[in-house]
Amino acid sequence: MYRYIILIITLFCASAVTMTAAKKRNKQFSLGFGQVYVAPKIGINIPSHIGREADEIGFNDVASNGFSAGMEVLWMQNPQVGVGGEFGFMTNPYKEQFWGNLLTRGSFEADYKAYTAMGVGRLFIGEKRIKPMLGVGFGACLINNSLDFVSKWQGTGNDESVCYKTNIVNLAYAGEIGLLSNVGKKTFVSISIRFNIIPRLKEIIKTTTDPYTFEERKITLNPQGNENNIEIKLGVYIGVRDGIKK
């Protein structure tokens, strides 16, 4: 997995050098040198099985498609390359097909939330009104998953009820590809596909007793091992500080 991250960074840097060396530019549709942009974004968050073996439980097995939102601040180093930071939020509901066995034994609620803080780098290719863009991100993620199961036998010796939350800080990486379009003075709209890597998620296991067989059962909130996911995002880049004229 990490070799793909290194490849993305290498391509990003090589492309940045190539684009910076270009002498002829149409500045009309470019993000200005030194310009600062803020970019609110929203998206659809799709759990992925990438990073897990075929016979292992993945994020897409335990969670359904969800919602994401974020805010990016980008400082253009030249008309093609920008660096900055972003804060994001993702939420995914549980998948009933996976957790359905608990639904037959009581009431059940679970969700998967993640708050991210990343440094980002972006490369905008070309000078046309609509241009390709590449992006990378590195940072941290606060995972705030919850599970609330109330057993039918609550208050008895066969009570299997479980209620807990996780607050885990983990590393997070991202690679992104998309398009950017100029729609007005210092205003651009983006659409992109982004792969978020949230690796090595530790399982949290709760041991309970089966009310019929009295055998031990294990309920875990994080059987998926990671929370890798794919986002389809829309954003609006709005210039908030004038750049340096050249």
Side-chain angles (χ1 to χ4, degrees):
M1 183 182 296
Y2 296 101
R3 64 177 179 268
Y4 296 116
I5 299 173
I6 295 172
L7 178 61
I8 291 172
I9 296 172
T10 303
L11 291 173
F12 184 92
C13 295
S15 300
V17 171
T18 302
M19 298 306 297
T20 303
K23 294 182 179 180
K24 295 182 179 180
R25 294 190 175 101
N26 179 358
K27 297 182 179 180
Q28 182 181 0
F29 304 128
S30 296
L31 291 83
F33 173 67
Q35 182 85 43
V36 175
Y37 291 84
V38 296
K41 298 185 177 184
I42 59 172
I44 298 171
N45 179 264
I46 304 170
S48 169
H49 199 277
I50 296 174
R52 301 287 281 173
E53 299 295 334
D55 59 347
E56 291 181 317
I57 295 171
F59 192 32
N60 64 321
D61 294 313
V62 302
S64 300
N65 295 347
F67 169 79
S68 66
M71 178 66 73
E72 178 181 322
V73 178
L74 191 69
W75 179 29
M76 297 304 298
Q77 304 302 297
N78 62 46
Q80 281 74 45
V81 178
V83 296
E86 77 168 15
F87 296 93
F89 167 73
M90 297 177 283
T91 180
N92 295 86
Y94 72 90
K95 182 170 283 188
E96 189 171 325
Q97 294 95 313
F98 181 84
W99 297 103
N101 63 322
L102 291 180
L103 291 168
T104 63
R105 289 152 43 198
S107 64
F108 176 81
E109 290 292 336
D111 61 18
Y112 301 85
K113 292 185 174 70
Y115 303 84
T116 59
M118 289 190 181
V120 298
R122 301 213 174 275
L123 172 67
F124 304 97
I125 302 172
E127 302 294 339
K128 296 182 179 180
R129 182 185 294 275
I130 300 176
K131 56 178 68 65
M133 71 175 189
L134 300 175
V136 293
F138 300 91
C141 177
L142 172 63
I143 298 170
N144 183 216
N145 298 340
S146 66
L147 183 150
D148 188 0
F149 170 60
V150 180
S151 171
K152 292 179 180 179
W153 297 275
Q154 186 178 26
T156 72
N158 297 328
D159 189 356
E160 297 181 285
S161 299
V162 178
C163 180
Y164 56 84
K165 291 185 177 181
T166 61
N167 288 291
I168 303 169
V169 177
N170 205 350
L171 293 175
Y173 317 92
E176 190 169 358
I177 185 169
L179 293 172
L180 185 80
S181 177
N182 177 248
V183 296
K185 186 178 181 181
K186 293 192 287 188
T187 306
F188 298 80
V189 173
S190 68
I191 181 169
S192 62
I193 297 175
R194 170 170 166 155
F195 180 45
N196 294 305
I197 304 171
I198 306 175
R200 297 190 300 274
L201 187 61
K202 185 178 179 180
E203 291 185 350
I204 298 176
I205 298 173
K206 174 73 174 180
T207 301
T208 65
T209 302
D210 187 285
Y212 299 107
T213 64
F214 299 101
E215 295 179 351
E216 282 192 351
R217 281 182 171 177
K218 293 182 178 180
I219 300 174
T220 174
L221 178 62
N222 302 320
Q224 67 272 18
N226 65 50
E227 290 195 6
N228 296 343
N229 61 83
I230 297 169
E231 285 183 273
I232 301 173
K233 305 183 74 172
L234 290 172
V236 180
Y237 285 81
I238 304 168
V240 295
R241 195 191 77 175
D242 290 336
I244 299 172
K245 293 183 179 180
K246 286 195 168 186

